[in-house]
Amino acid sequence: MRVAIGSDHAGFYMKEEIKGFLSKMGVEFSDFGCHSPESVDYPDIGRQVAKSVAEGEYDRGILICGTGIGMSMVANKVRGVRAALCQDEFSARASRQHNNANVLALGARVIGPGLACSIVEVFLRTDFEGGRHARRVGKIEAIEGEE
Ligand code: RB5
């Protein structure tokens, strides 16, 4: 499991917490920035992380901004990315089991670091269920083909 992680300034401290958690889990990751709490534009980092997942360089992506909304919008513009904005473990589990989400978006101004780490753990440990869900994910991909 290789993870690409990135944040804007609003998500910087949460990113650092999650990196520590990933290390404890023994998960390999690359940090796409930002590298300080100085203001940056979330689309710049979100795009890079999303592309690296879409191109198969990484298995999953984790993106953090203030709400998670901007990062999820950016990531979902990249073909092949299915980004899920999650604020609870139930949604994180379902995003993997039902939607085969490959990018997790988190809002550092919405949830605390403890919950964020639990969500990350569920997101990384849960498998896609396939079956009827594969048909539905296929329909998402078909929409990408129309664009
Ligand atoms: C930055 O102030 C904030 O707009 C950003 O982190 C994010 O919440 C955007 O969706």
Side-chain angles (χ1 to χ4, degrees), residues 73-96:
M73 287 179 169
V74 169
N76 278 316
K77 293 286 181 199
V78 175
R79 189 181 298 267
V81 167
R82 290 174 301 280
L85 168 57
C86 296
Q87 294 166 0
D88 61 275
E89 292 102 328
F90 179 85
S91 302
R93 188 171 297 108
S95 80
R96 290 288 312 133

Side-chain angles (χ1 to χ4, degrees), residues 12-53:
F12 172 72
Y13 291 111
M14 180 173 278
K15 173 167 64 64
E16 297 308 298
E17 292 258 1
I18 291 172
K19 280 163 57 183
F21 183 70
L22 292 175
S23 297
K24 275 194 215 140
M25 277 181 81
V27 172
E28 197 187 312
F29 63 85
S30 295
D31 183 355
F32 283 69
C34 60
H35 300 291
S36 82
E38 254 176 64
S39 184
V40 292
D41 296 335
Y42 62 84
D44 299 333
I45 288 147
R47 178 177 174 273
Q48 284 185 53
V49 167
K51 278 194 168 284
S52 77
V53 173

Side-chain angles (χ1 to χ4, degrees), residues 8-11 39-40 42 64-73 106-109:
D8 71 355
H9 53 286
S39 184
V40 292
Y42 62 84
I64 311 136
C65 63
T67 58
I69 295 171
M71 283 297 200
S72 63
M73 287 179 169
L106 296 167
R109 291 174 179 161

